[in-house]
Amino acid sequence: MPTTEPREKFIVPIGPQHPALKEPGHFEFTVDGEIVTGATARLGYVHRGIEKGTEDRSWVQNLYLLERICGICSHSHALAYALGVEKLAGVEAPPRAQAIRVLVAELERIHSHLLWLGVAAHEAGFDTLFMYSWRDRETVMDLLENLTGNRVNYSANVLGGVKFDVSVEQADAIRRGLDFLEERTQHYLTVVTTDSMFLRRTRGIATMSKQQAEALGVIGPTARASDVPRDVRVESPYAAYTTFPVEAVLATAGDLEARFLVRVKELFESYRVIREILDRMPAGDLTARMPRRVKEGETVSRIEAPRGELFYFIKSGGGDRPERVKARTPSMFNFASVLTLAVGHQLADIPMIMAGIDPCFSCNDRLVVVNRIGHEADVWTWEKLRQYGIEYYRR
Amino acid sequence: MSTEPLLQKPELVLALSQLDRCRLCMAETLLEAAKALLQPWAAESTLPEPNRMDVPIPAADLLAAVKALHDARWGYLSAITGLDLGPEAGAMEALYHFCMGAAVVTLRVRLPRDEASVPSVCGLIPSASFFERELSEMFGVTVTDTPDPSRLFLPDDWPDGVYPLRKDFVMSPTGGGNGAQAE
């Protein structure tokens, strides 16, 4: 907004609370007129002391505790932990169990990416896309429920294997679901690359060069959209990714559009690998025998969660519970990149920049515009900021 | 994808398992390279797993070691883990995990428990800021020159000098801490 009066510095605090989605976080953006000049973050509103909690619980109890770190990628947490503990104990889950683990991991990626597509579309004011993508997401949620009994927190893993088998009927249901989703995804790919209103919100926005992406240390789809080939499934395959390899989906533009492209295209790669697993499911047991005590030692377990590399460090003192479990989630990296990327952008772009990293961002329901000099505060909601962004681009 | 029909041929399944071995060799080569970069400290390095190398680093040399990996573009800093060895040992460790491909190099900085201090690596790796904030509030490790020393996860009204991930911090049954170190 052009103004003749001297511009004052504003701090725009966003967050922390929003009951609707995951992970609240608090950000403060310093703005000079329209332009963001600085950003800081404060997290921890849902810090539940889970790492500390693991030290008081048995190896098995922790599987269920850690699965509850995140409702979106619960399987990723359980898988990273189970693989790490199995490595420490010198136990290897049977091939069929590993294949089922990857099957669930990829179904989880599909639901997570579709969830993100809807949320990001909503932030852009494109609610039709939001409604359709969430309707279609129900397909994969149903498949997960049919397979595991749960829509979230599937508890597919046990230490040493998995809890359930995949029947012929379930496999057919998954194939039918994927056929439908693949057709829909093709449509979404067309929409996010051709809809001119939508492209105004994504093309050339929050561009991160390959060098920047490496320096900021972003991971997952956010990195791959800047041509940084970081994908643990490819770099350090775990579970059944050695037998059923995936290809890293890369884009070069590094802007928001590229982040849409990468995530939507990754869906096709997930469909392909799931079909391959169903067609060539290894026969055999579902679990290997797991000791109650785990040998003394330390290990690092890394897997590719929907948002990027999930890192677990596990230390055993030889007892029936861990000495230390450290979980570093992908958002830890990607949040930090928002703080840098936001600088120089319009305040109106913030919702989309946040959405671009697929963070747990919808928490930011409350926004206070503070005039630093006059000390007068005006309370904005996240909804108002979102609306502001949409209106801004209508002009 | 062309791999699907090919994979059903036994010789190609064999080729795949060789690929696995190849990845492991690659991890070994990467670790060798890291060892060469960390030459001044490499004498004490150990290989706890085929794809991992632990290198003990004195706190005073941390920046030099990180710089060696960073300048050679060896991987990226994936996490910093704090590790309390307990009041009896009187020591803590800060573990800097660098990942490249399947290889993980961990720089282990051993610190006295009552005066734990490490230099900030943010000058080289800006993305380490969150990790350092977490390390200092959870373990009471002072990170000198870190750009933002404020709390990241703990609540505003959390008592000073109480570090929840230290071993002598005991959770009360209601979920809060007993403030064991607060005195």
Side-chain angles (χ1 to χ4, degrees):
Chain A
M1 277 172 281
T3 168
T4 48
E5 287 170 25
R7 275 190 254 169
E8 288 162 350
K9 221 180 203 182
F10 285 86
I11 293 181
V12 184
I14 301 180
Q17 312 284 335
H18 188 299
L21 274 177
K22 45 216 154 115
E23 280 193 300
H26 177 83
F27 298 86
E28 281 186 2
F29 293 97
T30 313
V31 291
D32 180 4
E34 268 303 307
I35 305 296
V36 176
T37 56
T40 59
R42 179 85 166 75
L43 305 174
Y45 297 93
V46 280
H47 199 272
R48 292 148 288 172
I50 288 183
E51 284 184 25
K52 184 75 178 180
T54 58
E55 295 170 16
D56 288 331
R57 285 166 177 79
S58 74
W59 293 103
V60 174
Q61 284 173 318
N62 281 326
L63 183 66
Y64 300 94
L65 179 64
L66 292 164
E67 191 164 39
R68 276 150 184 82
I69 287 181
C70 178
I72 302 288
C73 51
S74 61
H75 180 72
S76 302
H77 282 272
L79 181 57
Y81 173 75
L83 287 170
V85 177
E86 285 160 14
K87 207 158 33 159
L88 276 177
V91 172
E92 200 167 330
R96 190 172 179 91
Q98 301 283 29
I100 293 174
R101 284 172 167 181
V102 169
L103 174 74
V104 177
E106 291 303 321
L107 286 172
E108 182 176 75
R109 195 179 315 278
I110 295 169
H111 106 71
S112 178
H113 280 11
L114 286 174
L115 177 98
W116 166 81
L117 181 65
V119 173
H122 174 67
E123 295 312 333
F126 196 171
D127 278 348
T128 318
L129 180 58
F130 161 50
M131 298 289 174
Y132 273 125
S133 57
W134 277 35
R135 180 201 68 179
D136 296 341
R137 174 173 168 269
E138 284 304 305
T139 309
V140 69
M141 299 306 277
D142 287 346
L143 293 176
L144 281 164
E145 187 180 5
N146 178 261
L147 211 52
T148 68
N150 281 328
R151 281 166 61 89
V152 289
N153 292 342
Y154 332 108
S155 284
N157 289 286
V158 290
L159 295 179
V162 290
K163 214 174 264 181
F164 56 84
D165 206 351
V166 179
S167 69
V168 179
E169 295 77 38
Q170 282 169 328
D172 284 341
I174 294 173
R175 286 195 188 93
R176 279 195 304 275
L178 293 190
D179 288 345
F180 169 74
L181 285 173
E182 188 156 39
E183 197 189 316
R184 296 298 303 164
T185 309
Q186 197 61 54
H187 171 65
Y188 296 141
L189 188 61
T190 314
V191 170
V192 301
T193 49
T194 56
D195 186 281
S196 59
M197 280 299 281
F198 195 62
L199 285 176
R200 280 188 70 196
R201 301 298 305 273
T202 59
R203 189 167 283 175
I205 306 283
T207 307
M208 192 164 29
S209 68
K210 189 173 179 171
Q211 287 76 15
Q212 259 180 319
E214 280 172 352
L216 289 171
V218 291
I219 47 180
T222 313
R224 296 195 281 276
S226 294
D227 204 22
V228 178
R230 275 185 197 162
D231 188 329
V232 186
R233 293 176 296 169
V234 178
E235 288 180 282
S236 175
Y238 49 91
Y241 285 112
T242 40
T243 330
F244 303 100
V246 291
E247 268 182 48
V249 177
L250 296 176
T252 47
D255 58 0
L256 275 172
E257 188 193 2
R259 279 165 232 162
F260 274 87
L261 267 182
V262 164
R263 289 200 182 85
V264 173
K265 284 186 177 169
E266 275 183 10
L267 289 171
F268 292 115
E269 190 63 6
S270 294
Y271 302 148
R272 183 192 63 73
V273 80
I274 290 174
R275 288 199 184 104
E276 209 172 295
I277 291 170
L278 293 175
D279 290 347
R280 299 193 295 113
M281 179 75 85
D285 292 337
L286 292 180
T287 50
R289 205 179 150 68
M290 190 72 192
R292 195 170 66 85
R293 292 174 187 280
V294 171
K295 276 179 270 180
E296 194 177 338
E298 293 175 348
T299 196
V300 165
S301 177
R302 297 154 67 212
I303 70 151
E304 187 74 14
R307 285 165 187 73
E309 179 197 40
L310 175 66
F311 180 104
Y312 265 75
F313 170 87
I314 306 166
K315 181 182 179 184
S316 169
D320 58 358
R321 57 190 57 187
E323 284 275 307
R324 172 95 169 97
V325 176
K326 154 94 187 172
R328 197 272 297 140
T329 58
S331 290
M332 248 322 230
F333 266 123
N334 291 336
F335 268 133
S337 79
V338 168
L339 304 185
T340 313
L341 280 181
V343 173
H345 275 89
Q346 319 264 10
L347 189 57
D349 285 326
I350 297 296
M352 284 301 280
I353 295 176
M354 292 267 235
I357 63 158
D358 190 10
C360 306
F361 74 99
S362 295
C363 37
N364 310 311
D365 196 29
R366 200 182 65 223
L367 186 149
V368 192
V369 180
V370 183
N371 183 332
R372 229 186 191 175
I373 298 158
H375 296 291
E376 286 165 20
D378 178 19
V379 178
W380 276 23
T381 58
W382 175 260
E383 179 55 31
K384 192 169 169 189
L385 178 63
R386 185 183 78 88
Q387 205 56 45
Y388 175 73
I390 296 165
E391 295 294 331
Y392 185 90
Y393 273 92
R394 279 210 182 119
R395 275 185 241 150
Chain B
M1 277 297 292
S2 55
T3 45
E4 195 201 27
L6 292 177
L7 275 171
Q8 274 149 3
K9 297 182 182 169
E11 66 271 22
L12 278 152
V13 173
L14 186 75
L16 259 190
S17 73
Q18 277 164 351
L19 194 68
D20 264 1
R21 273 206 292 281
C22 186
R23 277 199 186 95
L24 213 53
C25 312
M26 218 165 79
E28 274 168 26
T29 318
L30 289 169
L31 290 180
E32 282 300 315
K35 196 170 175 177
L37 292 168
L38 298 168
Q39 195 49 50
W41 310 277
E44 288 177 67
S45 67
T46 51
L47 295 169
E49 287 173 310
N51 68 326
R52 289 206 302 127
M53 180 167 74
D54 281 356
V55 190
I57 305 275
D61 293 352
L62 176 66
L63 283 185
V66 171
K67 193 170 176 354
L69 290 178
H70 180 77
D71 287 355
R73 298 165 65 87
W74 196 100
Y76 57 99
L77 179 65
S78 185
I80 301 177
T81 304
L83 200 56
D84 185 11
L85 304 177
E88 308 84 55
M92 285 199 289
E93 278 185 292
L95 312 180
Y96 293 71
H97 308 280
F98 286 81
C99 297
M100 188 171 193
V104 182
V105 167
T106 303
L107 307 180
R108 307 187 75 112
V109 185
R110 203 178 162 94
L111 303 163
R113 214 161 165 276
D114 43 7
E115 228 181 308
S117 172
V118 287
S120 169
V121 299
C122 287
L124 298 161
I125 306 167
S127 57
S129 170
F130 277 13
F131 302 153
E132 294 185 343
R133 287 167 73 181
E134 186 188 20
L135 181 72
S136 74
E137 67 182 352
M138 294 293 174
F139 288 92
V141 175
T142 312
V143 184
T144 49
D145 298 326
T146 193
D148 182 358
S150 67
R151 279 183 183 154
L152 182 65
F153 289 124
L154 291 179
D156 293 335
D157 57 358
W158 189 266
D160 285 339
V162 178
Y163 306 111
L165 280 179
R166 286 200 180 194
K167 287 288 178 193
D168 48 6
F169 177 89
V170 183
M171 300 250 274
S172 78
T174 50
N178 65 350
Q181 306 146 12
E183 257 114 67

